[in-house]
Amino acid sequence: MITRRRLLALLACSATPGVTALGAVRAAENPFGQGISSRGVRPQPRGKPSGRPFLARFTDIATQAGLTHPIVYGDVDAKRFIIEVVGCGVAFLDYDNDGWLDLLVLSGTRLEQAPPGTTNRLYKNNRDGTFTDVTDRAGLTRTGWASAVTVGDYDNDGFDDLFITCYGSNVLYHNNGDGTFTDVTDKAGLHQIAVRYGSGCTWIDFDRDGHLDLFVATYLDTTLEKLPKPGASADCSWKGVPVNCGPRGLPPGFVQLFRNNGDGTFTDVSRKSGVAAASGSYPMTAVAADLDNDGWPDIYVACDSTPSWLFRNQHDGTFRQEGLERGVALSEDGLEQAGMGVAIGDYDLDGNLDIFKTHFADDTNVLYRNDGKGYFNDVTVRAGIGVETRYVGWGTGVVDLDNDGFPDVFVVTGSVYPEVERKVPAYPFRTPRLVFRNLGDGRFEELIDEAGSGVAAVHTSRGCAFGDFDNDGDMDILVMNMNEPPSLLRNDVSGTGHWLKVLLVGSKSNRSAIGARVIARYGSRTQAQEVMAQSSFYSANDRRLHFGLGAASLADLTIRWPDGATEKIPGVETDQLVVIREGAGIFRKEKFRVSNP
């Protein structure tokens, strides 16, 4: 195997940096010419089950909640081009500021004729477990190939705005504060002339000036008309079956950074900031968070079948791409993986943000542990994540599902090749969701059936978002399903585990407090979380940070705001939402209705 150390040596000796070494890696991992990285990894042996009861149960209540419209994305039984298989994200957001989470569900279309009513959809929370489709009223009707969404208040007017990437043209929607949105893409200076295949995107205040800037990725630098047909080359076959081509063999994408001018417009600073120098990869989900604990937001990008990128903030308006040096570009054995989704969280409760990244079948998802200085170690095998290699992983989160005080890992899955199942039944198109329950000692235990019918049910899923839609103190999950209605997984937690939700409101910093970090100390434990505008796969979570606290009835909070200022709030009672305004402490508390089964 090619180790990371050996790979770095090859990179240093290569006449053209990266070409010789990465060519060797690709040849080693891709002997059958498939377009997506798959290392052919065998699953690790499963240990003896812990025998501990899992106190969270997930039930899909989408139908009774009124989420009945299918998410159209390509043909149902065959996929000719890669644009039909990647799918899109979803979001939890409170667009009308009523304290209840609403839902945004993105959509694709069909190559030929889309069914009537195919559009992105906004659902308003009726506060009774049901939702009303308000897409038309909100001005968000749009048909096309949507990809990712990022949610944040870019103009600091108190209402969250939306930026959505697409194949074709990306779009910026301004929230008017009256339940409607306006397309301000051209007015904001974000119009693009060329057709592009937009992928990950995230709001980030990279220069800490109090205004949200915008990071945008393009997956492939090509157009639909130029894509080869299934079986056209070695990159268009999997398990001996002709399939849609790519991403290998297709022109790689790129990333851009747009600085917020503070007047509703943006300036392209991609070259000036250094992010445009990154090349040769297929960027997907983008996540902004302070990964090296220096108080400035960095950007991590999961890249498909190529090395992933970590852009470290240099504090002067520029970034350096240090994915290889920091240990998050490749697997532990130095091989490329099919990076799709990203979750950020403090799984081992050491106050540092770790990274979980989803990958292709015949490979493991990967867990990178942060050493506190922004260097990462691949701990996938020793953490017990390596027991699962059967499925293609997409949306994911590091979130405490059972409120026991230890963040768990959740993954949605689904194949990209409906044609393969008919000839190779071991690789089904529709597959279950996964729960990796945190055992509290650095190890995880995989659960499927034990986590409820909503986890065990098979779908072809892509994006997922995490939030408490029914305000009952646990984390629910919204899931994008290809050519089916979305899933809304209601979480019913039994037991006595406490919890705390924290909603931050910036004043000097950006109003959404994106980039703020909260460290909660409860009992003998310490957990870090950060407010982010995109994670999972192309999705956006509830901006209210949720801490499961186990037996602890109080928590001490330390908040580091995006501008670097810190604020301490000791002795916060649990089982409530606290709203904290920058510099003013807690200005609102809310007890939720809690109904344990």
Side-chain angles (χ1 to χ4, degrees):
M1 289 297 221
I2 300 175
T3 65
R4 183 177 290 119
R5 182 176 297 176
R6 176 59 177 153
L7 178 68
L8 291 173
L10 286 170
L11 286 170
C13 297
S14 175
T16 303
V19 174
T20 301
L22 295 182
V25 169
R26 287 171 179 158
E29 70 174 46
N30 196 32
F32 302 108
Q34 63 211 42
I36 293 179
S37 289
S38 181
R39 296 188 293 151
V41 171
R42 294 182 180 275
Q44 294 292 311
R46 296 175 185 269
K48 182 179 178 181
S50 69
R52 302 181 197 173
F54 186 59
L55 300 180
R57 289 291 183 276
F58 290 92
T59 305
D60 189 348
I61 63 160
T63 299
Q64 64 204 68
L67 310 180
T68 58
H69 293 286
I71 303 169
V72 175
Y73 223 99
D75 290 338
V76 176
D77 298 319
K79 306 289 186 181
R80 284 174 284 170
F81 302 108
I82 194 169
I83 194 172
E84 297 182 84
V85 307
V86 172
C88 57
V90 294
F92 277 119
L93 73 159
D94 184 3
Y95 80 97
D96 53 1
N97 289 347
D98 68 350
W100 291 78
L101 290 180
D102 311 299
L103 315 178
L104 179 70
V105 178
L106 300 185
S107 175
T109 183
R110 296 250 161 88
L111 292 173
E112 275 74 44
Q113 186 172 0
T118 299
T119 179
N120 302 329
R121 294 188 183 275
L122 178 67
Y123 294 95
K124 177 175 170 54
N125 194 327
N126 298 326
R127 312 184 193 182
D128 60 0
T130 69
F131 293 81
T132 298
D133 186 338
V134 296
T135 310
D136 290 343
R137 187 190 322 163
L140 293 177
T141 301
R142 181 184 174 101
T143 299
W145 299 100
S147 295
V149 59
T150 183
V151 178
D153 183 3
Y154 77 88
D155 58 351
N156 291 330
D157 67 352
F159 292 90
D160 279 335
D161 310 299
L162 305 172
F163 184 81
I164 299 172
T165 60
C166 310
Y167 172 80
S169 298
N170 302 330
V171 58
L172 174 63
Y173 289 109
H174 176 259
N175 188 334
N176 300 318
D178 59 359
T180 68
F181 292 79
T182 299
D183 180 345
V184 295
T185 313
D186 292 349
K187 180 181 178 182
L190 295 172
H191 174 73
Q192 57 193 54
I193 298 174
V195 172
R196 289 177 178 165
Y197 191 174
S199 53
C201 55
T202 189
W203 297 110
I204 174 177
D205 186 3
F206 78 94
D207 52 4
R208 305 199 322 185
D209 68 350
H211 300 288
L212 288 176
D213 313 300
L214 184 62
F215 180 88
V216 182
T218 294
Y219 181 46
L220 301 170
D221 192 8
T222 189
T223 60
L224 183 59
E225 295 76 18
K226 298 177 183 178
L227 294 176
K229 295 181 179 179
S233 71
D235 291 321
C236 310
S237 175
W238 201 65
K239 302 296 179 183
V241 179
V243 296
N244 63 87
C245 303
R248 286 196 179 138
L250 302 177
F254 53 89
V255 296
Q256 296 171 283
L257 182 62
F258 298 92
R259 185 180 184 277
N260 190 330
N261 299 321
D263 59 1
T265 67
F266 294 81
T267 298
D268 189 338
V269 294
S270 307
R271 292 188 180 277
K272 182 179 179 181
S273 66
V275 302
S279 62
S281 287
Y282 302 103
M284 299 197 91
T285 304
V287 178
D290 179 13
L291 296 172
D292 56 1
N293 294 329
D294 65 354
W296 293 76
D298 310 300
I299 305 168
Y300 184 64
V301 184
C303 294
D304 189 1
S305 302
T306 45
S308 292
W309 292 331
L310 173 58
F311 296 95
R312 275 193 70 229
N313 196 321
Q314 301 299 296
H315 313 173
D316 59 1
T318 68
F319 290 83
R320 287 183 56 193
Q321 200 291 98
E322 298 182 359
L324 276 173
E325 296 92 322
R326 296 279 163 174
V328 291
L330 305 166
S331 68
E332 187 173 31
D333 47 17
L335 298 182
E336 297 166 343
Q337 296 178 283
M340 273 90 86
V342 178
I344 303 291
D346 182 8
Y347 83 93
D348 55 354
L349 304 183
D350 65 354
N352 303 310
L353 297 179
D354 310 299
I355 298 174
F356 184 87
K357 182 154 60 79
T358 56
H359 294 124
F360 206 69
D362 291 342
D363 197 357
T364 61
N365 300 310
V366 65
L367 178 62
Y368 295 115
R369 182 180 183 274
N370 192 337
D371 71 351
K373 299 179 180 178
Y375 290 92
F376 293 81
N377 294 307
D378 182 338
V379 296
T380 305
V381 172
R382 71 200 79 165
I385 303 296
V387 300
E388 183 57 79
T389 64
R390 295 172 290 178
Y391 309 124
V392 181
W394 296 90
T396 183
V398 176
V399 58
D400 192 343
L401 301 174
D402 56 356
N403 287 340
D404 68 348
F406 296 99
D408 310 295
V409 173
F410 183 90
V411 180
V412 301
T413 71
S415 175
V416 296
Y417 303 135
E419 305 86 353
V420 169
E421 180 178 16
R422 294 191 285 271
K423 295 186 177 181
V424 190
Y427 293 89
F429 189 54
R430 294 174 177 83
T431 50
R433 291 79 189 247
L434 309 174
V435 169
F436 290 95
R437 181 251 295 275
N438 193 330
L439 295 174
D441 59 1
R443 297 180 301 121
F444 292 83
E445 178 179 46
E446 185 183 21
L447 307 175
I448 298 179
D449 294 320
E450 300 92 333
S453 59
V455 172
V458 296
H459 299 271
T460 303
S461 302
R462 296 297 185 259
C464 68
F466 301 84
D468 187 357
F469 81 87
D470 51 0
N471 283 351
D472 68 350
D474 53 37
M475 292 295 274
D476 311 300
I477 306 171
L478 176 66
V479 184
M480 181 273 184
N481 299 318
M482 303 277 275
N483 291 306
E484 294 182 83
S487 293
L488 181 60
L489 305 185
R490 188 190 66 208
N491 186 2
D492 296 306
V493 176
S494 59
T496 58
H498 296 291
W499 53 272
L500 179 68
K501 292 185 187 295
V502 180
L503 176 61
L504 301 179
V505 179
S507 52
K508 181 180 178 182
S509 301
N510 71 84
R511 181 70 176 263
S512 299
I514 290 168
R517 177 175 294 192
V518 176
I519 293 181
R521 294 177 175 84
Y522 49 101
S524 61
R525 302 167 187 167
T526 299
Q527 183 183 163
Q529 290 191 36
E530 201 153 307
V531 182
M532 297 180 291
Q534 179 168 103
S535 61
S536 182
F537 177 75
Y538 289 179
S539 298
N541 298 330
D542 183 353
R543 200 154 42 81
R544 302 174 298 183
L545 301 180
H546 176 93
F547 293 88
L549 301 175
S553 58
L554 296 173
D556 297 327
L557 303 181
T558 300
I559 301 143
R560 191 194 64 203
W561 295 95
D563 68 354
T566 60
E567 193 169 345
K568 294 187 177 182
I569 304 178
V572 180
E573 293 183 1
T574 60
D575 301 329
Q576 65 175 336
L577 164 72
V578 293
V579 184
I580 301 172
R581 191 184 301 277
E582 184 176 11
I586 297 174
F587 76 92
R588 183 163 64 85
K589 300 178 180 180
E590 182 179 348
K591 292 283 187 179
F592 286 174
R593 168 188 59 82
V594 178
S595 57
N596 291 328

